[in-house]
Amino acid sequence: MTIGLASRELPDLWQTLEHVDAVHGLYYLLMHGLFGVFGTDVIVLRLPSVLAAAAAAGGVAMIGLHLAGPRAGLCAGIVFVALPGVQRYAQEGRSYALVCALVVWATYALVRAVERDRRSAWTAYTALLLTACLVHEFAVLALAAHAVVVPRAMRRTFVAAAVCVVVGLAPLVLVSMRQSSQVGWLDATKPDEYAHFSLMVGVALAAVWIATAGRRSRSTACERRLVVLGLGLFLAPTGLLMLLSLAKPLYLDRYVLYGVAGIALLLGAAFDRVLRRGHRIRAGAVVSAVIACATLVPTALDLRTPASRSDDMTTLAAALRETVRPDDGVVYLSVKRRAWELAEPGRPVPGMDLARARDPLASHSLYGTEVAPGRLRARMLARHRIVVVASPSGVTVEDSAMVRVKRDTLADHFEACGKRTVDGSVITVYARPGRCTGLPSPDLLPRRPMNTAPDRHPMTPSPTDRFRELRELLRAYESTGHT
């Protein structure tokens, strides 16, 4: 998606952002500049996220250094880069790693501002956090975590900075509220997400207990501030977003990825505390750390494989090129299944997209626009073979007149000949009743080499079949109101 939007000309990109995805607009503008200089190579797409994750790790280490010492900072930075969420979004060509880096460095600027109370530090904090919010507006939730570490004497200054951030963000919020249908696909927060958050809360509290055990009276103000900041940064953004999701589903862990910096700080402080103890405890801590790292290795390796992506659009595009013949119709039950076109806009799939009215570029949209339901039905009835791309079972899809027409027409006039599951999508070949002979079932088709031309002459229908299909086509056309 990033390549498809950020590679558009600026006037086209601007018009698109007026309708959809304004929340990522600043990130697309940044990537547009990089693509203009270096091209749309996958390295150019992903390198900003890699660099942002590295910068975030450095920021976490600097926060730990200033609040608890160099060893705590080093441990916190190492823990941060080992977390699976950080490793995943460091590889993604999306804005989440960049937002995380900006929030982390804004937090570091806040720590410095609280230490020195200088205008330059408060200005840096405001600028960094506002930039983070403009890249993704849920970064504003970090204000709740930051508020708890500001001393009473500096609260007026902090409130002024927070007001500047909110006022600067307000225009983007107003635009994105008009585009709120974009997150209509989100489901309510799942029980396993609550369970995972609860587990991590337990880990965070255990880290706090270890970091503060036996030294509550001797801990410095900076060390206490690290504990409060770490807990706030981890709990507040995620907790608030989960609460908001009770009214309208909005929660995805990547939206508040920066919260993991909080638990990294707490674990870093806990490791530092353990390493100050006796030899046996230190040895046990080292062994425990090695075991923890070893358990994360399979996850880290898996995150670097295509199988870890729930929507691998490159694989979907390749599968469609294997499956679709030039005279086939193609139907996407969900318009989001067309997202592969954004990744490979210059390599169309054979066949005709039966529901397509205008492509994404011409319509200034993400996935293009679709024809009226009656016209779609007529187009489908004019085909002998249709390749359908759908979401896997269990994934919420839009319920509209178009989706119902697609499903009903397939159910009434076609039969499924075979199915193939590709990462994040299901491809099914449909043909007229009795025409599946010669087509493999149930596991789709021809996995022919990519450079092999498809069969241009599938089975030829009989005159009787042609007459029946023409009659159905005329009835469908008349039902749209034409005479």
PDB file of all heavy atoms in Angstrom, residues 125 129 139-148 158 161-162 165-166:
ATOM      1  N   TYR A 125      10.725  18.730  23.036  1.00  0.00           N
ATOM      2  CA  TYR A 125       9.680  17.757  23.408  1.00  0.00           C
ATOM      3  C   TYR A 125       8.396  18.011  22.625  1.00  0.00           C
ATOM      4  O   TYR A 125       7.821  17.073  22.049  1.00  0.00           O
ATOM      5  CB  TYR A 125       9.410  17.855  24.904  1.00  0.00           C
ATOM      6  CG  TYR A 125       8.162  17.115  25.340  1.00  0.00           C
ATOM      7  CD1 TYR A 125       8.126  15.726  25.349  1.00  0.00           C
ATOM      8  CD2 TYR A 125       7.007  17.808  25.710  1.00  0.00           C
ATOM      9  CE1 TYR A 125       6.982  15.040  25.728  1.00  0.00           C
ATOM     10  CE2 TYR A 125       5.861  17.134  26.094  1.00  0.00           C
ATOM     11  CZ  TYR A 125       5.850  15.752  26.091  1.00  0.00           C
ATOM     12  OH  TYR A 125       4.703  15.077  26.457  1.00  0.00           O
ATOM     13  N   LEU A 129       6.907  15.321  19.793  1.00  0.00           N
ATOM     14  CA  LEU A 129       5.645  14.630  20.028  1.00  0.00           C
ATOM     15  C   LEU A 129       4.589  15.061  19.008  1.00  0.00           C
ATOM     16  O   LEU A 129       3.794  14.221  18.547  1.00  0.00           O
ATOM     17  CB  LEU A 129       5.147  14.896  21.444  1.00  0.00           C
ATOM     18  CG  LEU A 129       3.950  14.039  21.876  1.00  0.00           C
ATOM     19  CD1 LEU A 129       4.279  12.557  21.773  1.00  0.00           C
ATOM     20  CD2 LEU A 129       3.509  14.373  23.298  1.00  0.00           C
ATOM     21  N   ALA A 139      -0.421   8.594  18.664  1.00  0.00           N
ATOM     22  CA  ALA A 139       0.742   8.940  19.482  1.00  0.00           C
ATOM     23  C   ALA A 139       0.371   9.946  20.555  1.00  0.00           C
ATOM     24  O   ALA A 139       1.093  10.091  21.555  1.00  0.00           O
ATOM     25  CB  ALA A 139       1.858   9.505  18.598  1.00  0.00           C
ATOM     26  N   VAL A 140      -0.759  10.621  20.408  1.00  0.00           N
ATOM     27  CA  VAL A 140      -1.190  11.599  21.410  1.00  0.00           C
ATOM     28  C   VAL A 140      -1.469  10.936  22.757  1.00  0.00           C
ATOM     29  O   VAL A 140      -1.423  11.593  23.806  1.00  0.00           O
ATOM     30  CB  VAL A 140      -2.443  12.367  20.897  1.00  0.00           C
ATOM     31  CG1 VAL A 140      -3.688  11.488  20.969  1.00  0.00           C
ATOM     32  CG2 VAL A 140      -2.646  13.654  21.681  1.00  0.00           C
ATOM     33  N   LEU A 141      -1.730   9.632  22.757  1.00  0.00           N
ATOM     34  CA  LEU A 141      -1.982   8.918  24.012  1.00  0.00           C
ATOM     35  C   LEU A 141      -0.750   8.891  24.909  1.00  0.00           C
ATOM     36  O   LEU A 141      -0.859   8.633  26.117  1.00  0.00           O
ATOM     37  CB  LEU A 141      -2.460   7.492  23.729  1.00  0.00           C
ATOM     38  CG  LEU A 141      -3.786   7.367  22.959  1.00  0.00           C
ATOM     39  CD1 LEU A 141      -4.073   5.911  22.626  1.00  0.00           C
ATOM     40  CD2 LEU A 141      -4.926   7.964  23.775  1.00  0.00           C
ATOM     41  N   ALA A 142       0.418   9.162  24.341  1.00  0.00           N
ATOM     42  CA  ALA A 142       1.636   9.201  25.158  1.00  0.00           C
ATOM     43  C   ALA A 142       1.600  10.347  26.155  1.00  0.00           C
ATOM     44  O   ALA A 142       2.308  10.314  27.172  1.00  0.00           O
ATOM     45  CB  ALA A 142       2.870   9.329  24.262  1.00  0.00           C
ATOM     46  N   LEU A 143       0.792  11.375  25.887  1.00  0.00           N
ATOM     47  CA  LEU A 143       0.683  12.487  26.835  1.00  0.00           C
ATOM     48  C   LEU A 143       0.238  12.001  28.220  1.00  0.00           C
ATOM     49  O   LEU A 143       0.669  12.530  29.241  1.00  0.00           O
ATOM     50  CB  LEU A 143      -0.305  13.531  26.310  1.00  0.00           C
ATOM     51  CG  LEU A 143       0.197  14.464  25.203  1.00  0.00           C
ATOM     52  CD1 LEU A 143      -0.957  15.281  24.647  1.00  0.00           C
ATOM     53  CD2 LEU A 143       1.312  15.369  25.724  1.00  0.00           C
ATOM     54  N   ALA A 144      -0.646  11.010  28.246  1.00  0.00           N
ATOM     55  CA  ALA A 144      -1.117  10.485  29.532  1.00  0.00           C
ATOM     56  C   ALA A 144       0.022   9.851  30.312  1.00  0.00           C
ATOM     57  O   ALA A 144       0.089   9.973  31.552  1.00  0.00           O
ATOM     58  CB  ALA A 144      -2.234   9.469  29.299  1.00  0.00           C
ATOM     59  N   ALA A 145       0.920   9.170  29.618  1.00  0.00           N
ATOM     60  CA  ALA A 145       2.069   8.562  30.295  1.00  0.00           C
ATOM     61  C   ALA A 145       3.054   9.620  30.746  1.00  0.00           C
ATOM     62  O   ALA A 145       3.657   9.522  31.831  1.00  0.00           O
ATOM     63  CB  ALA A 145       2.749   7.565  29.351  1.00  0.00           C
ATOM     64  N   HIS A 146       3.242  10.644  29.935  1.00  0.00           N
ATOM     65  CA  HIS A 146       4.218  11.683  30.275  1.00  0.00           C
ATOM     66  C   HIS A 146       3.752  12.541  31.448  1.00  0.00           C
ATOM     67  O   HIS A 146       4.576  13.050  32.227  1.00  0.00           O
ATOM     68  CB  HIS A 146       4.461  12.573  29.045  1.00  0.00           C
ATOM     69  CG  HIS A 146       5.147  11.855  27.937  1.00  0.00           C
ATOM     70  ND1 HIS A 146       5.145  12.308  26.633  1.00  0.00           N
ATOM     71  CD2 HIS A 146       5.869  10.692  27.930  1.00  0.00           C
ATOM     72  CE1 HIS A 146       5.828  11.470  25.883  1.00  0.00           C
ATOM     73  NE2 HIS A 146       6.273  10.483  26.640  1.00  0.00           N
ATOM     74  N   ALA A 147       2.443  12.724  31.585  1.00  0.00           N
ATOM     75  CA  ALA A 147       1.926  13.618  32.619  1.00  0.00           C
ATOM     76  C   ALA A 147       2.306  13.161  34.022  1.00  0.00           C
ATOM     77  O   ALA A 147       2.490  13.984  34.924  1.00  0.00           O
ATOM     78  CB  ALA A 147       0.404  13.731  32.497  1.00  0.00           C
ATOM     79  N   VAL A 148       2.443  11.845  34.210  1.00  0.00           N
ATOM     80  CA  VAL A 148       2.647  11.332  35.571  1.00  0.00           C
ATOM     81  C   VAL A 148       4.063  11.549  36.081  1.00  0.00           C
ATOM     82  O   VAL A 148       4.310  11.361  37.283  1.00  0.00           O
ATOM     83  CB  VAL A 148       2.278   9.827  35.642  1.00  0.00           C
ATOM     84  CG1 VAL A 148       0.828   9.615  35.296  1.00  0.00           C
ATOM     85  CG2 VAL A 148       3.186   9.005  34.718  1.00  0.00           C
ATOM     86  N   PHE A 158       4.212  21.918  31.194  1.00  0.00           N
ATOM     87  CA  PHE A 158       3.804  20.689  30.485  1.00  0.00           C
ATOM     88  C   PHE A 158       2.425  20.856  29.857  1.00  0.00           C
ATOM     89  O   PHE A 158       2.204  20.429  28.707  1.00  0.00           O
ATOM     90  CB  PHE A 158       3.795  19.507  31.451  1.00  0.00           C
ATOM     91  CG  PHE A 158       3.239  18.251  30.848  1.00  0.00           C
ATOM     92  CD1 PHE A 158       3.990  17.492  29.974  1.00  0.00           C
ATOM     93  CD2 PHE A 158       1.942  17.837  31.145  1.00  0.00           C
ATOM     94  CE1 PHE A 158       3.467  16.335  29.393  1.00  0.00           C
ATOM     95  CE2 PHE A 158       1.416  16.686  30.580  1.00  0.00           C
ATOM     96  CZ  PHE A 158       2.174  15.932  29.701  1.00  0.00           C
ATOM     97  N   ALA A 161       2.722  22.738  26.682  1.00  0.00           N
ATOM     98  CA  ALA A 161       3.254  21.894  25.606  1.00  0.00           C
ATOM     99  C   ALA A 161       2.190  20.939  25.090  1.00  0.00           C
ATOM    100  O   ALA A 161       2.045  20.737  23.869  1.00  0.00           O
ATOM    101  CB  ALA A 161       4.468  21.111  26.106  1.00  0.00           C
ATOM    102  N   ALA A 162       1.416  20.354  26.009  1.00  0.00           N
ATOM    103  CA  ALA A 162       0.364  19.419  25.600  1.00  0.00           C
ATOM    104  C   ALA A 162      -0.701  20.118  24.770  1.00  0.00           C
ATOM    105  O   ALA A 162      -1.204  19.563  23.780  1.00  0.00           O
ATOM    106  CB  ALA A 162      -0.256  18.768  26.826  1.00  0.00           C
ATOM    107  N   VAL A 165       0.494  20.523  21.266  1.00  0.00           N
ATOM    108  CA  VAL A 165       0.408  19.253  20.532  1.00  0.00           C
ATOM    109  C   VAL A 165      -1.028  18.987  20.085  1.00  0.00           C
ATOM    110  O   VAL A 165      -1.279  18.647  18.921  1.00  0.00           O
ATOM    111  CB  VAL A 165       0.938  18.093  21.405  1.00  0.00           C
ATOM    112  CG1 VAL A 165       0.644  16.746  20.746  1.00  0.00           C
ATOM    113  CG2 VAL A 165       2.429  18.253  21.647  1.00  0.00           C
ATOM    114  N   VAL A 166      -1.970  19.146  20.991  1.00  0.00           N
ATOM    115  CA  VAL A 166      -3.371  18.858  20.669  1.00  0.00           C
ATOM    116  C   VAL A 166      -3.904  19.814  19.612  1.00  0.00           C
ATOM    117  O   VAL A 166      -4.597  19.404  18.667  1.00  0.00           O
ATOM    118  CB  VAL A 166      -4.232  18.909  21.952  1.00  0.00           C
ATOM    119  CG1 VAL A 166      -5.713  18.797  21.606  1.00  0.00           C
ATOM    120  CG2 VAL A 166      -3.819  17.795  22.904  1.00  0.00           C
TER     121      VAL A 166
END
